[in-house]
Amino acid sequence: MRYEREIRAAFKVSIPVMMGYGVLGFAFGLLLVSFNYSWYLAPIMSLFIYAGALQFVAINFFNVKAGLVDIAIASWFVNLRQSFYGLSLLKRFKKSGKLKPYLIFALTDETYALLTTLKDDENLKKHWYYFFLAAFNQSYWFLGSTLGAIVGSNIKFNTAGLEFSLTALFVVLCVEQYKSLKNPIPFLIGAFVSIISLIFIPSDKMLVVSIFLSLVLLFTFRRKLEDNG
């Protein structure tokens, strides 16, 4: 096999992601069909959108019949961090040629974490190694969500509380961010704004308003944040 070494290396380091994406993807598939959507939307979304947190959020958007503008704005904010991921990897992806579009598309939190923490093996063709790593990770999410949707369509059981998996995902990300930043101010701002928005803003607008107000306050207190950081 032409890229056997790169495939083996990519699969080995992707195993932890497989454990997480398989379970969380399965939960997404179950949740999607529990809202009476067709099972095939799960693989379509996982293939062409491939944004775990955003796919969970999208279910709520569909359910409340949110407008396209609201969906676009919220999607942009939710995935804004990916832009910074990409900027930090410009040099690494510079000579990836035809693989670059997919490497950019498939740059999730977990893939980025692996790419930036693992040491490259000089014996590997790096760009193909990156490609297979990203492809393995997406395949785990794709298979997990598809299986969850199929199972949920054929086996009826109580899915009450399953939507909490989205909250759990954000809690995990929040904890990891706090460990890295070690500055409570951004998290206090987020909590304060979320509570205020929850009280005074309609539920279908709450996410967009919360993100916008959080950004305004973060930019306002940017100097203090930098000093504390």
Side-chain angles (χ1 to χ4, degrees):
M1 189 180 296
R2 185 176 180 183
Y3 299 108
E4 182 176 358
R5 181 176 295 179
E6 288 75 18
I7 292 174
R8 287 179 178 273
F11 175 72
K12 183 178 180 180
V13 300
S14 71
I15 291 176
V17 177
M18 176 175 62
M19 303 301 179
Y21 275 13
V23 174
L24 197 58
F26 191 88
F28 166 73
L30 285 179
L31 184 63
L32 180 69
V33 297
S34 73
F35 281 90
N36 296 318
Y37 293 110
S38 300
W39 71 268
Y40 56 79
L41 287 178
I44 290 175
M45 292 176 71
S46 297
L47 184 63
F48 295 104
I49 299 177
Y50 185 39
L54 183 58
Q55 286 181 222
F56 278 97
V57 173
I59 297 175
N60 292 321
F61 283 151
F62 299 156
N63 196 45
V64 300
K65 295 180 173 57
L68 292 177
V69 174
D70 292 333
I71 294 176
I73 293 174
S75 300
W76 185 78
F77 279 122
V78 170
N79 281 340
L80 181 61
R81 67 190 186 283
Q82 307 293 346
S83 301
F84 299 99
Y85 291 171
L87 289 173
S88 67
L89 292 174
L90 282 177
K91 184 176 180 180
R92 186 171 291 198
F93 290 171
K94 185 176 181 181
K95 297 181 180 179
S96 55
K98 61 183 180 180
L99 301 177
K100 184 183 290 187
Y102 180 73
L103 292 176
I104 294 172
F105 165 75
L107 191 59
T108 62
D109 297 314
E110 291 73 18
T111 300
Y112 176 79
L114 290 176
L115 288 175
T116 54
T117 56
L118 296 174
K119 293 183 178 180
D120 286 337
D121 186 341
E122 295 300 325
N123 296 317
L124 298 175
K125 296 177 181 178
K126 294 181 180 179
H127 296 123
W128 282 102
Y129 168 65
Y130 301 155
F131 169 78
F132 288 121
L133 176 58
F136 274 127
N137 289 347
Q138 184 175 10
S139 70
Y140 304 145
W141 180 264
F142 177 87
L143 292 173
S145 63
T146 302
L147 182 60
I150 292 174
V151 170
S153 296
N154 293 280
I155 301 176
K156 301 301 180 182
F157 54 90
N158 188 4
T159 58
L162 189 60
E163 64 274 9
F164 186 75
S165 54
L166 173 61
T167 304
L169 172 63
F170 278 115
V171 168
V172 171
L173 293 175
C174 184
V175 170
E176 291 301 316
Q177 287 293 321
Y178 179 75
K179 287 181 179 179
S180 175
L181 189 61
K182 295 181 179 179
N183 186 339
I185 296 178
F187 305 95
L188 293 175
I189 289 175
F192 172 76
V193 168
S194 298
I195 293 172
I196 295 300
S197 298
L198 191 61
I199 295 173
F200 296 104
I201 305 298
S203 60
D204 60 330
K205 308 289 184 184
M206 182 259 185
L207 180 61
V208 174
V209 173
S210 296
I211 295 173
F212 176 75
L213 292 178
S214 294
L215 287 175
V216 171
L217 290 175
L218 285 170
F219 278 113
T220 302
F221 294 101
R222 181 177 60 179
R223 184 174 295 248
K224 187 173 182 179
L225 290 171
E226 291 174 347
D227 291 340
N228 291 339

